[in-house]
PDB file of all heavy atoms in Angstrom:
ATOM      1  N   THR A 297      89.763 150.644  79.015  1.00  0.00           N
ATOM      2  CA  THR A 297      90.222 149.543  79.882  1.00  0.00           C
ATOM      3  C   THR A 297      91.067 150.027  81.045  1.00  0.00           C
ATOM      4  O   THR A 297      91.329 149.288  81.972  1.00  0.00           O
ATOM      5  CB  THR A 297      91.051 148.498  79.105  1.00  0.00           C
ATOM      6  OG1 THR A 297      92.098 149.180  78.437  1.00  0.00           O
ATOM      7  CG2 THR A 297      90.215 147.723  78.120  1.00  0.00           C
ATOM      8  N   LEU A 307     100.000 146.519  89.070  1.00  0.00           N
ATOM      9  CA  LEU A 307     101.195 145.679  88.957  1.00  0.00           C
ATOM     10  C   LEU A 307     101.643 145.632  87.510  1.00  0.00           C
ATOM     11  O   LEU A 307     100.865 145.900  86.590  1.00  0.00           O
ATOM     12  CB  LEU A 307     100.931 144.266  89.498  1.00  0.00           C
ATOM     13  CG  LEU A 307      99.763 143.465  88.942  1.00  0.00           C
ATOM     14  CD1 LEU A 307     100.096 142.821  87.608  1.00  0.00           C
ATOM     15  CD2 LEU A 307      99.352 142.398  89.937  1.00  0.00           C
ATOM     16  N   ASP A 318     102.914 149.802  95.809  1.00  0.00           N
ATOM     17  CA  ASP A 318     102.697 149.568  97.243  1.00  0.00           C
ATOM     18  C   ASP A 318     101.480 150.376  97.710  1.00  0.00           C
ATOM     19  O   ASP A 318     101.562 151.583  97.942  1.00  0.00           O
ATOM     20  CB  ASP A 318     103.955 149.966  98.027  1.00  0.00           C
ATOM     21  CG  ASP A 318     103.761 149.761  99.522  1.00  0.00           C
ATOM     22  OD1 ASP A 318     102.631 149.446  99.949  1.00  0.00           O
ATOM     23  OD2 ASP A 318     104.755 149.925 100.256  1.00  0.00           O
ATOM     24  N   CYS A 361     105.848 132.717  89.221  1.00  0.00           N
ATOM     25  CA  CYS A 361     106.914 132.832  88.204  1.00  0.00           C
ATOM     26  C   CYS A 361     108.191 133.356  88.863  1.00  0.00           C
ATOM     27  O   CYS A 361     109.298 132.851  88.608  1.00  0.00           O
ATOM     28  CB  CYS A 361     106.491 133.757  87.069  1.00  0.00           C
ATOM     29  SG  CYS A 361     105.024 133.189  86.192  1.00  0.00           S
ATOM     30  N   ALA A 363     109.054 132.995  91.897  1.00  0.00           N
ATOM     31  CA  ALA A 363     109.596 131.916  92.727  1.00  0.00           C
ATOM     32  C   ALA A 363     110.339 130.879  91.879  1.00  0.00           C
ATOM     33  O   ALA A 363     111.339 130.306  92.319  1.00  0.00           O
ATOM     34  CB  ALA A 363     108.459 131.244  93.494  1.00  0.00           C
ATOM     35  N   PRO A 366     114.544 131.165  89.327  1.00  0.00           N
ATOM     36  CA  PRO A 366     115.919 130.674  89.546  1.00  0.00           C
ATOM     37  C   PRO A 366     116.077 129.161  89.372  1.00  0.00           C
ATOM     38  O   PRO A 366     117.193 128.669  89.459  1.00  0.00           O
ATOM     39  CB  PRO A 366     116.204 131.049  91.009  1.00  0.00           C
ATOM     40  CG  PRO A 366     115.015 131.719  91.538  1.00  0.00           C
ATOM     41  CD  PRO A 366     113.900 131.570  90.585  1.00  0.00           C
ATOM     42  N   GLN A 368     115.262 127.122  86.760  1.00  0.00           N
ATOM     43  CA  GLN A 368     115.052 126.604  85.407  1.00  0.00           C
ATOM     44  C   GLN A 368     116.074 125.565  84.976  1.00  0.00           C
ATOM     45  O   GLN A 368     115.894 124.883  83.971  1.00  0.00           O
ATOM     46  CB  GLN A 368     115.038 127.750  84.401  1.00  0.00           C
ATOM     47  CG  GLN A 368     113.841 128.660  84.602  1.00  0.00           C
ATOM     48  CD  GLN A 368     113.886 129.874  83.697  1.00  0.00           C
ATOM     49  OE1 GLN A 368     113.776 129.742  82.499  1.00  0.00           O
ATOM     50  NE2 GLN A 368     114.057 131.044  84.279  1.00  0.00           N
ATOM     51  N   LEU A 379     107.601 123.830  92.268  1.00  0.00           N
ATOM     52  CA  LEU A 379     106.442 124.638  91.867  1.00  0.00           C
ATOM     53  C   LEU A 379     105.271 124.370  92.812  1.00  0.00           C
ATOM     54  O   LEU A 379     104.630 125.296  93.322  1.00  0.00           O
ATOM     55  CB  LEU A 379     106.049 124.282  90.427  1.00  0.00           C
ATOM     56  CG  LEU A 379     104.815 124.986  89.872  1.00  0.00           C
ATOM     57  CD1 LEU A 379     105.131 126.456  89.581  1.00  0.00           C
ATOM     58  CD2 LEU A 379     104.329 124.311  88.579  1.00  0.00           C
ATOM     59  N   THR A 392      90.799 134.500 102.447  1.00  0.00           N
ATOM     60  CA  THR A 392      89.390 134.705 102.083  1.00  0.00           C
ATOM     61  C   THR A 392      89.150 134.886 100.587  1.00  0.00           C
ATOM     62  O   THR A 392      88.223 134.290 100.040  1.00  0.00           O
ATOM     63  CB  THR A 392      88.792 135.883 102.897  1.00  0.00           C
ATOM     64  OG1 THR A 392      89.017 135.626 104.288  1.00  0.00           O
ATOM     65  CG2 THR A 392      87.290 136.009 102.658  1.00  0.00           C
ATOM     66  N   HIS A 410     100.954 120.141  80.329  1.00  0.00           N
ATOM     67  CA  HIS A 410     101.845 120.283  79.172  1.00  0.00           C
ATOM     68  C   HIS A 410     103.067 119.382  79.244  1.00  0.00           C
ATOM     69  O   HIS A 410     103.720 119.301  80.273  1.00  0.00           O
ATOM     70  CB  HIS A 410     102.303 121.738  79.036  1.00  0.00           C
ATOM     71  CG  HIS A 410     101.212 122.621  78.522  1.00  0.00           C
ATOM     72  ND1 HIS A 410     100.765 122.547  77.232  1.00  0.00           N
ATOM     73  CD2 HIS A 410     100.462 123.550  79.145  1.00  0.00           C
ATOM     74  CE1 HIS A 410      99.774 123.418  77.069  1.00  0.00           C
ATOM     75  NE2 HIS A 410      99.570 124.036  78.228  1.00  0.00           N
ATOM     76  N   ALA A 411     103.361 118.775  78.115  1.00  0.00           N
ATOM     77  CA  ALA A 411     104.570 117.969  78.038  1.00  0.00           C
ATOM     78  C   ALA A 411     105.731 118.901  77.701  1.00  0.00           C
ATOM     79  O   ALA A 411     106.184 118.956  76.562  1.00  0.00           O
ATOM     80  CB  ALA A 411     104.386 116.911  76.964  1.00  0.00           C
ATOM     81  N   ILE A 429      96.117 135.194  82.600  1.00  0.00           N
ATOM     82  CA  ILE A 429      95.264 135.513  83.758  1.00  0.00           C
ATOM     83  C   ILE A 429      95.154 137.037  83.900  1.00  0.00           C
ATOM     84  O   ILE A 429      94.083 137.588  84.145  1.00  0.00           O
ATOM     85  CB  ILE A 429      95.843 134.860  85.043  1.00  0.00           C
ATOM     86  CG1 ILE A 429      95.697 133.336  84.971  1.00  0.00           C
ATOM     87  CG2 ILE A 429      95.182 135.424  86.300  1.00  0.00           C
ATOM     88  CD1 ILE A 429      96.419 132.563  86.083  1.00  0.00           C
ATOM     89  N   HIS A 443      78.161 145.627  81.355  1.00  0.00           N
ATOM     90  CA  HIS A 443      76.883 145.071  81.824  1.00  0.00           C
ATOM     91  C   HIS A 443      76.275 145.892  82.954  1.00  0.00           C
ATOM     92  O   HIS A 443      75.072 145.813  83.186  1.00  0.00           O
ATOM     93  CB  HIS A 443      77.062 143.612  82.249  1.00  0.00           C
ATOM     94  CG  HIS A 443      77.258 142.707  81.078  1.00  0.00           C
ATOM     95  ND1 HIS A 443      76.248 142.417  80.188  1.00  0.00           N
ATOM     96  CD2 HIS A 443      78.351 142.056  80.622  1.00  0.00           C
ATOM     97  CE1 HIS A 443      76.707 141.621  79.235  1.00  0.00           C
ATOM     98  NE2 HIS A 443      77.984 141.386  79.478  1.00  0.00           N
ATOM     99  N   PRO A 450      71.232 159.282  85.335  1.00  0.00           N
ATOM    100  CA  PRO A 450      71.552 160.667  85.673  1.00  0.00           C
ATOM    101  C   PRO A 450      70.957 161.084  87.021  1.00  0.00           C
ATOM    102  O   PRO A 450      69.805 160.750  87.315  1.00  0.00           O
ATOM    103  CB  PRO A 450      70.914 161.474  84.535  1.00  0.00           C
ATOM    104  CG  PRO A 450      70.818 160.515  83.394  1.00  0.00           C
ATOM    105  CD  PRO A 450      70.628 159.155  83.994  1.00  0.00           C
ATOM    106  N   LEU A 455      76.573 154.473  96.144  1.00  0.00           N
ATOM    107  CA  LEU A 455      77.459 154.240  97.286  1.00  0.00           C
ATOM    108  C   LEU A 455      78.286 152.979  97.071  1.00  0.00           C
ATOM    109  O   LEU A 455      77.783 151.980  96.548  1.00  0.00           O
ATOM    110  CB  LEU A 455      76.624 154.113  98.566  1.00  0.00           C
ATOM    111  CG  LEU A 455      77.416 153.989  99.876  1.00  0.00           C
ATOM    112  CD1 LEU A 455      76.807 154.895 100.945  1.00  0.00           C
ATOM    113  CD2 LEU A 455      77.441 152.552 100.385  1.00  0.00           C
ATOM    114  N   THR A 470      86.083 146.384  89.552  1.00  0.00           N
ATOM    115  CA  THR A 470      84.832 145.649  89.328  1.00  0.00           C
ATOM    116  C   THR A 470      83.659 146.574  89.677  1.00  0.00           C
ATOM    117  O   THR A 470      82.952 147.032  88.795  1.00  0.00           O
ATOM    118  CB  THR A 470      84.805 144.336  90.127  1.00  0.00           C
ATOM    119  OG1 THR A 470      84.870 144.610  91.525  1.00  0.00           O
ATOM    120  CG2 THR A 470      85.944 143.429  89.722  1.00  0.00           C
ATOM    121  N   PHE A 485      76.439 161.836  87.841  1.00  0.00           N
ATOM    122  CA  PHE A 485      76.015 161.135  89.053  1.00  0.00           C
ATOM    123  C   PHE A 485      77.082 161.356  90.121  1.00  0.00           C
ATOM    124  O   PHE A 485      78.183 161.806  89.827  1.00  0.00           O
ATOM    125  CB  PHE A 485      75.838 159.625  88.770  1.00  0.00           C
ATOM    126  CG  PHE A 485      77.120 158.920  88.391  1.00  0.00           C
ATOM    127  CD1 PHE A 485      77.807 158.142  89.318  1.00  0.00           C
ATOM    128  CD2 PHE A 485      77.657 159.045  87.110  1.00  0.00           C
ATOM    129  CE1 PHE A 485      78.994 157.506  88.978  1.00  0.00           C
ATOM    130  CE2 PHE A 485      78.853 158.419  86.763  1.00  0.00           C
ATOM    131  CZ  PHE A 485      79.514 157.651  87.689  1.00  0.00           C
ATOM    132  N   PRO A 494      89.034 149.160 109.244  1.00  0.00           N
ATOM    133  CA  PRO A 494      90.125 149.904 109.861  1.00  0.00           C
ATOM    134  C   PRO A 494      91.227 150.389 108.913  1.00  0.00           C
ATOM    135  O   PRO A 494      92.001 151.258 109.293  1.00  0.00           O
ATOM    136  CB  PRO A 494      90.716 148.889 110.843  1.00  0.00           C
ATOM    137  CG  PRO A 494      90.455 147.568 110.218  1.00  0.00           C
ATOM    138  CD  PRO A 494      89.144 147.705 109.479  1.00  0.00           C
ATOM    139  N   GLY A 498      88.639 152.730 101.395  1.00  0.00           N
ATOM    140  CA  GLY A 498      87.716 153.642 100.714  1.00  0.00           C
ATOM    141  C   GLY A 498      88.291 155.047 100.625  1.00  0.00           C
ATOM    142  O   GLY A 498      88.244 155.691  99.574  1.00  0.00           O
ATOM    143  N   ASN A 543      75.506 129.481  96.331  1.00  0.00           N
ATOM    144  CA  ASN A 543      74.111 129.951  96.514  1.00  0.00           C
ATOM    145  C   ASN A 543      73.970 131.468  96.344  1.00  0.00           C
ATOM    146  O   ASN A 543      72.887 132.010  96.541  1.00  0.00           O
ATOM    147  CB  ASN A 543      73.614 129.555  97.908  1.00  0.00           C
ATOM    148  CG  ASN A 543      74.379 130.276  99.009  1.00  0.00           C
ATOM    149  OD1 ASN A 543      75.455 130.829  98.754  1.00  0.00           O
ATOM    150  ND2 ASN A 543      73.849 130.284 100.206  1.00  0.00           N
ATOM    151  N   VAL A 546      77.617 136.543  99.475  1.00  0.00           N
ATOM    152  CA  VAL A 546      78.721 137.418  99.075  1.00  0.00           C
ATOM    153  C   VAL A 546      79.652 137.695 100.253  1.00  0.00           C
ATOM    154  O   VAL A 546      79.243 138.259 101.259  1.00  0.00           O
ATOM    155  CB  VAL A 546      78.154 138.764  98.550  1.00  0.00           C
ATOM    156  CG1 VAL A 546      79.268 139.773  98.333  1.00  0.00           C
ATOM    157  CG2 VAL A 546      77.372 138.541  97.267  1.00  0.00           C
ATOM    158  N   VAL A 555      75.915 147.609 105.111  1.00  0.00           N
ATOM    159  CA  VAL A 555      75.428 148.414 103.979  1.00  0.00           C
ATOM    160  C   VAL A 555      74.256 147.698 103.304  1.00  0.00           C
ATOM    161  O   VAL A 555      73.242 148.317 102.953  1.00  0.00           O
ATOM    162  CB  VAL A 555      76.568 148.675 102.953  1.00  0.00           C
ATOM    163  CG1 VAL A 555      76.035 149.378 101.717  1.00  0.00           C
ATOM    164  CG2 VAL A 555      77.683 149.496 103.589  1.00  0.00           C
ATOM    165  N   ALA A 556      74.368 146.380 103.168  1.00  0.00           N
ATOM    166  CA  ALA A 556      73.298 145.604 102.507  1.00  0.00           C
ATOM    167  C   ALA A 556      72.009 145.645 103.329  1.00  0.00           C
ATOM    168  O   ALA A 556      70.915 145.770 102.769  1.00  0.00           O
ATOM    169  CB  ALA A 556      73.756 144.161 102.293  1.00  0.00           C
ATOM    170  N   PRO A 565      68.557 149.474  95.765  1.00  0.00           N
ATOM    171  CA  PRO A 565      69.079 148.231  95.175  1.00  0.00           C
ATOM    172  C   PRO A 565      70.565 148.022  95.504  1.00  0.00           C
ATOM    173  O   PRO A 565      71.370 148.945  95.347  1.00  0.00           O
ATOM    174  CB  PRO A 565      68.891 148.429  93.666  1.00  0.00           C
ATOM    175  CG  PRO A 565      68.150 149.700  93.482  1.00  0.00           C
ATOM    176  CD  PRO A 565      68.082 150.439  94.773  1.00  0.00           C
ATOM    177  N   GLN A 584      80.528 128.859 105.243  1.00  0.00           N
ATOM    178  CA  GLN A 584      81.634 127.887 105.168  1.00  0.00           C
ATOM    179  C   GLN A 584      82.962 128.524 104.753  1.00  0.00           C
ATOM    180  O   GLN A 584      83.964 127.838 104.592  1.00  0.00           O
ATOM    181  CB  GLN A 584      81.276 126.786 104.170  1.00  0.00           C
ATOM    182  CG  GLN A 584      80.106 125.939 104.648  1.00  0.00           C
ATOM    183  CD  GLN A 584      79.571 125.029 103.545  1.00  0.00           C
ATOM    184  OE1 GLN A 584      80.296 124.660 102.631  1.00  0.00           O
ATOM    185  NE2 GLN A 584      78.301 124.691 103.639  1.00  0.00           N
ATOM    186  N   THR A 596      93.133 149.130 117.345  1.00  0.00           N
ATOM    187  CA  THR A 596      93.427 149.877 118.585  1.00  0.00           C
ATOM    188  C   THR A 596      94.095 151.217 118.308  1.00  0.00           C
ATOM    189  O   THR A 596      94.359 151.982 119.238  1.00  0.00           O
ATOM    190  CB  THR A 596      94.340 149.067 119.519  1.00  0.00           C
ATOM    191  OG1 THR A 596      95.482 148.655 118.766  1.00  0.00           O
ATOM    192  CG2 THR A 596      93.629 147.859 120.079  1.00  0.00           C
TER     193      THR A 596
END
Side-chain angles (χ1 to χ4, degrees):
T297 54
L307 55 80
D318 179 353
C361 299
Q368 294 175 67
L379 177 73
T392 306
H410 286 290
I429 291 171
H443 288 290
L455 185 135
T470 62
F485 64 102
N543 66 344
V546 171
V555 174
Q584 294 169 26
T596 52

